[in-house]
Amino acid sequence: LTSSPKSSGLSVIHIAAEMAPVAKVGGLGDVVTGLCKALQKRGHLVEIVLPKYDCMQYDRIHNLRALDVVLESYFDGKLYKNKIWVGTVEGLDFVGLVCAAPLYWDLYAPKGLNSARICFTCHNFEYQGTAPVSELASCGLDIHQLNRPDRMQDNSALDRVNPVKGAVVFSNIVTTVSPTYAQEVRTAENPPPSYLPLQKIRQDGALNFSHFRLGSGWKGEKEGNNGCKALLTTLTCLAQGGKGLHSTLSFHSKKFVGILNGIDTDAWNPATDTFLKVQYNVNDLQGKTENKIALRKFLGLSNADVKQPMVGCITRLVPQKGVHLIRHAIYRTLELGGQFVLLGSSPVAHIQREFEGIANHFVNHDDIRLILKYDESLSHSIFAASDIFIIPSIFEPCGLTQMIAMRYGSIPVVRKTGGLNDSVFDVDDDTVPLQFQNGFTFSTPDEHGVNSALDRAFNYYRNNTEVWQQLVQKDMNMDFSWELSATQYEELYLKSVTRARVAANRA
Ligand code: ADP
């Protein structure tokens, strides 16, 4: 859009709702920036298209300027002229505007933009953005062509269209963010998770790619604000793997694949992290202890026993994350004699209120602290200070905090679902090779499940100091960088573009 490729690399445009650090709500922002940096390092021209939100951190966008071109797009049924803003964020080209996959084929392909292939990555099938059928016309799209069961019509509410379904149908490639989640969403109900080796996909070819990403940025509207609705949402999470799209995903399964996300290992590096009181690395863990002491002082927690285990949790407080299990883990940690630090906030009013109640209850407590806000700096301090990190999700497309926690030497305690099932392997599971055993897992999303894993983690920490230290070092050395995943995306892009070229040559 703003430059031309310098080498023989691909031209990849990521169209996304978030980008860290300028517009981040959750993991989607991290993923867009991390994957794009990895693709750029491999010699591809990468550009990121975002809505130009008013609330972006504009001080972190360099050289922001309006382009001298006009882009027309439909809004409310009329064609409008849009300004395009460009700049760079962390060395990546950023473009401020919006688009979607059906729009591409209907409006832009006929104007000659027909050499690009489209990859749609869904970060979370919970957020599908369904809308009344009339909204299609306001985007300049043909209702009769698109409001069909095999195209954009929602699978359960027949008077609504479903943009995520449309993206699945109209994209050349569909990916999601872990192999296990890709299996789960193809079923009407979540299957019991099982060990799946990471997938390696081999393909070859070359050029031009648009990559659409949807994720937790589309939050809020579905979560309601009363207890009844939230409870229903939780049950629905348990009952529906594909959230109504399982038949569509199964039908299009040949182009659908799960690729585990990575983390940006430059941004998340305890050896260079300037948010920390003391930097540390796998060969010098004294710094980790100093961060624990510093965080305790900062939060007013007891510093009486440096060996008292600290459990960390950093999350959006939404039903998907198992909020009732997080609450239970706080009380269980207290019973086990540990400390618990929660950093999180909720868009769901009754959940926010409930956690405010718990936070107030423990406001001067020696061992429990709840900080109910978004705080990037504090999140780094908690990853560094904690010994154990808990993620009891009901479902989890990928999850990044378990990988970040391991990089900072905090051992994950997780429910076996989605990407957690692809990245955390139980230290007591003999069916998993020793070098992959890196945490504590449980299957049943209830209080017994949490206890079964959390209690074992406390036992290991207290009774096997040497084994624990080795586990911390093993986890810090695990490779969760974008390298392998970026290779998989690159191979998918190349294969699809090669197919398009062959088809064009035949024509
Ligand atoms: P999701 O995308 O579903 O929110 P992920 O585990 O994929 O979950 O990513 C969460 C990201 O957001 C991580 O980088 C985590 O550190 C960050 N995060 C979540 N809540 C907070 C918070 N309250 N303050 C700071 N960072 C947060």
Side-chain angles (χ1 to χ4, degrees):
L1 292 173
T2 59
S3 345
S4 345
K6 293 186 191 76
S7 62
S8 54
L10 295 166
S11 178
V12 185
I13 300 168
H14 278 250
I15 300 163
E18 292 178 45
M19 178 188 188
V22 291
K24 171 175 161 181
V25 178
L28 175 63
D30 291 310
V31 168
V32 168
T33 306
L35 175 58
C36 289
K37 278 186 185 172
L39 289 169
Q40 195 176 54
K41 263 194 212 153
R42 288 163 175 271
H44 304 298
L45 174 74
V46 183
E47 292 166 300
I48 298 162
V49 178
L50 287 183
K52 189 176 169 289
Y53 302 112
D54 286 344
C55 60
M56 275 173 146
Q57 291 190 30
Y58 282 99
D59 53 328
R60 297 177 82 162
I61 306 175
H62 301 288
N63 200 13
L64 182 66
R65 63 207 183 275
L67 282 187
D68 194 17
V69 289
V70 168
L71 178 90
E72 289 191 329
S73 71
Y74 280 92
F75 179 72
D76 223 3
K78 294 185 200 113
L79 261 186
Y80 280 84
K81 294 185 195 311
N82 298 289
K83 236 188 209 171
I84 305 175
W85 294 81
V86 296
T88 52
V89 175
E90 307 223 331
L92 291 164
D93 287 335
F94 146 87
V95 180
L97 49 87
V98 215
C99 187
L103 270 179
Y104 172 80
W105 297 114
D106 268 20
L107 298 184
Y108 298 110
K111 292 184 178 170
L113 243 181
N114 52 4
S115 67
R117 302 287 92 188
I118 294 179
C119 171
F120 169 63
T121 296
C122 188
H123 287 249
N124 192 333
F125 283 97
E126 173 91 332
Y127 305 101
Q128 296 181 10
T130 64
V133 174
S134 56
E135 300 273 309
L136 283 178
S138 41
C139 302
L141 292 167
D142 183 337
I143 291 183
H144 302 292
Q145 283 298 316
L146 293 172
N147 184 31
R148 291 173 23 177
D150 60 336
R151 297 192 174 169
M152 286 186 76
Q153 187 180 55
D154 188 63
N155 291 341
S156 39
L158 303 186
D159 57 342
R160 295 177 78 80
V161 282
N162 184 325
V164 170
K165 177 176 168 182
V168 171
V169 170
F170 287 99
S171 296
N172 303 96
I173 300 168
V174 181
T175 72
T176 191
V177 289
S178 71
T180 297
Y181 189 57
Q183 299 255 337
E184 289 171 354
V185 295
R186 260 180 287 210
T187 62
E189 296 186 7
N190 275 342
S194 59
Y195 174 69
L196 277 175
L198 295 188
Q199 259 163 274
K200 180 91 189 80
I201 311 147
R202 299 216 155 271
Q203 282 118 23
D204 44 13
L207 227 70
N208 289 334
F209 233 89
S210 296
H211 198 143
F212 288 75
R213 304 188 149 260
L214 298 179
S216 51
W218 289 36
K219 60 203 284 179
E221 105 221 52
K222 289 202 168 257
E223 275 142 13
N225 56 9
N226 63 60
C228 199
K229 182 118 181 244
L231 178 63
L232 274 177
T233 312
T234 307
L235 294 176
T236 312
C237 293
L238 281 168
Q240 293 182 359
K243 314 284 175 201
L245 284 185
H246 54 280
S247 55
T248 307
L249 290 165
S250 296
F251 184 81
H252 291 276
S253 64
K254 279 202 180 125
K255 64 179 180 184
F256 180 48
V257 68
I259 299 177
L260 192 70
N261 284 334
I263 54 170
D264 181 342
T265 45
D266 294 331
W268 297 108
N269 183 357
T272 54
D273 192 329
T274 49
F275 286 117
L276 304 189
K277 176 87 177 161
V278 182
Q279 281 94 38
Y280 62 99
N281 62 60
V282 69
N283 299 313
D284 172 20
L285 289 171
Q286 179 53 29
K288 184 163 173 67
T289 307
E290 287 175 36
N291 281 299
K292 186 172 173 179
I293 294 169
L295 183 69
R296 284 167 164 180
K297 269 195 198 139
F298 178 71
L299 296 177
L301 294 170
S302 163
N303 244 326
D305 174 9
V306 79
K307 292 223 165 75
Q308 186 182 13
M310 181 186 282
V311 181
C313 181
I314 301 172
T315 186
R316 294 182 296 121
L317 290 165
V318 291
Q320 170 202 336
K321 303 289 181 182
V323 279
H324 56 301
L325 301 180
I326 293 173
R327 184 185 54 207
H328 171 73
I330 295 171
Y331 289 96
R332 186 65 182 169
T333 298
L334 201 54
E335 283 169 10
L336 293 169
Q339 295 187 315
F340 198 105
V341 177
L342 168 77
L343 173 63
S345 60
S346 186
V348 187
H350 83 95
I351 297 180
Q352 181 73 14
R353 267 200 309 276
E354 184 187 344
F355 276 80
E356 277 167 5
I358 304 173
N360 289 337
H361 179 71
F362 288 115
V363 72
N364 290 318
H365 198 279
D366 272 353
D367 296 317
I368 310 287
R369 203 61 82 241
L370 276 67
I371 307 101
L372 301 179
K373 61 173 180 177
Y374 184 92
D375 187 330
E376 183 75 22
S377 163
L378 188 55
S379 75
H380 288 244
S381 305
I382 295 172
F383 283 119
S386 55
D387 302 294
I388 295 167
F389 198 90
I390 190 153
I391 314 170
S393 301
I394 304 304
F395 74 94
E396 191 60 73
C398 177
L400 298 178
T401 53
Q402 76 278 16
M403 303 186 206
I404 303 170
M406 284 189 258
R407 188 149 165 82
Y408 282 69
S410 182
I411 307 301
V413 171
V414 309
R415 173 156 182 265
K416 277 168 80 67
T417 181
L420 297 170
N421 184 53
D422 295 326
S423 54
V424 183
F425 306 100
D426 200 289
V427 296
D428 290 326
D429 185 348
D430 297 338
T431 64
V432 175
L434 189 65
Q435 71 266 30
F436 296 122
Q437 295 174 8
N438 55 8
F440 298 86
T441 65
F442 63 98
S443 296
T444 317
D446 62 15
E447 298 182 356
H448 296 294
V450 171
N451 294 355
S452 70
L454 195 58
D455 292 12
R456 280 187 300 121
F458 269 74
N459 272 334
Y460 263 80
Y461 180 87
R462 289 220 167 98
N463 304 325
N464 294 311
T465 312
E466 219 168 284
V467 176
W468 187 270
Q469 163 106 354
Q470 285 163 7
L471 184 59
V472 167
Q473 289 176 318
K474 190 203 299 188
D475 282 14
M476 289 181 77
N477 277 329
M478 291 211 151
D479 181 6
F480 289 114
S481 71
W482 269 103
E483 283 312 302
L484 176 65
S485 313
T487 308
Q488 293 180 3
Y489 275 109
E490 190 179 43
E491 287 172 352
L492 276 181
Y493 297 166
L494 290 167
K495 187 175 180 186
S496 179
V497 169
T498 303
R499 260 199 243 114
R501 279 184 172 167
V502 170
N505 286 343
R506 272 204 210 110

